Amino acid sequence: MSDRPAKLTARRLVGDLATLDQALYEAVTVTRTPTLDTALRRLSAAADHSKLSFAVAAALALRGGRPRRAALLGVAAIGVASASANLLGKQLVRRPRPHRAEDSPYPGRHVPMPHSASFPSGHTASAVAFAAAVGPTLPVCAVPLGALACAVGYSRVHTGVHYPGDVVAGAVLGTGAAALVLALAARVGD
């Protein structure tokens, strides 16, 4: 029995997902949202190198106790997610960044185009990893950090540097990184 039909079906599914990903990206790029453009451009830039997450971690660490533990777990999860996204994911997949037309209808929403591959979104992976690692230790932070991570992910599509699929993959990677860090922390210290 040949697995040729399964391979053909998988190829078609991947093609359909790529088509959907492109269509979603294009829908965002042609939707006029002047109020969101500036805010999301600033958010995307503020999330560079996990600056937002590190600022939250610093504020939590200053409080001591559980907040400090949550901050340490969050920072560790960022490390795992960032390394996984940038050193493994981007190197293995090498998906090109979205094409931004020179005559883009809303160039004011763009951030500089990174030189790295598009898949997965490292910004999203790190933001989700931080939120998912801090939340279980400090539940009061779970919803605000989760919302911030979602906003960071969307901002990467809105500013024209990622496809939605890159963001979804980054979120999955970030969740996995947080789960790994939490599992290791529980095994070592609890």
Side-chain angles (χ1 to χ4, degrees):
M1 188 162 154
S2 171
D3 64 335
R4 189 175 186 113
K7 286 182 181 177
L8 188 58
T9 301
R11 224 178 263 142
R12 287 180 180 153
L13 176 61
V14 169
D16 286 352
L17 289 173
T19 300
L20 179 61
D21 206 20
Q22 180 70 37
L24 290 171
Y25 173 78
E26 289 175 9
V28 170
T29 64
V30 298
T31 302
R32 187 173 185 277
T33 55
T35 305
L36 287 176
D37 291 352
T38 300
L40 290 171
R41 187 180 67 244
R42 287 180 180 159
L43 175 63
S44 186
D48 285 348
H49 309 292
S50 299
K51 290 182 290 204
L52 285 174
S53 296
F54 288 137
V56 172
L60 291 174
L62 291 174
R63 294 185 55 209
R66 282 182 48 193
R68 178 173 289 152
R69 177 171 169 71
L72 291 172
L73 292 169
V75 168
I78 289 170
V80 172
S82 181
S84 298
N86 294 305
L87 300 177
L88 291 175
K90 289 179 185 289
Q91 299 306 313
L92 292 173
V93 177
R94 297 185 180 271
R95 183 181 196 187
R97 295 279 177 170
H99 174 72
R100 293 194 301 209
E102 300 224 358
D103 60 347
S104 173
Y106 311 111
R109 69 172 49 167
H110 295 160
V111 295
M113 185 66 77
H115 298 292
S116 61
S118 188
F119 184 93
S121 168
H123 281 68
T124 305
S126 294
V128 168
F130 183 74
V134 170
T137 306
L138 208 57
V140 71
C141 292
V143 171
L145 289 178
L148 180 61
C150 289
V152 166
Y154 176 74
S155 77
R156 301 303 284 169
V157 176
H158 192 88
T159 58
V161 295
H162 278 291
Y163 294 102
D166 303 338
V167 170
V168 170
V172 169
L173 186 63
T175 302
L180 176 65
V181 166
L182 292 172
L184 290 174
R187 192 168 184 193
V188 170
D190 291 339

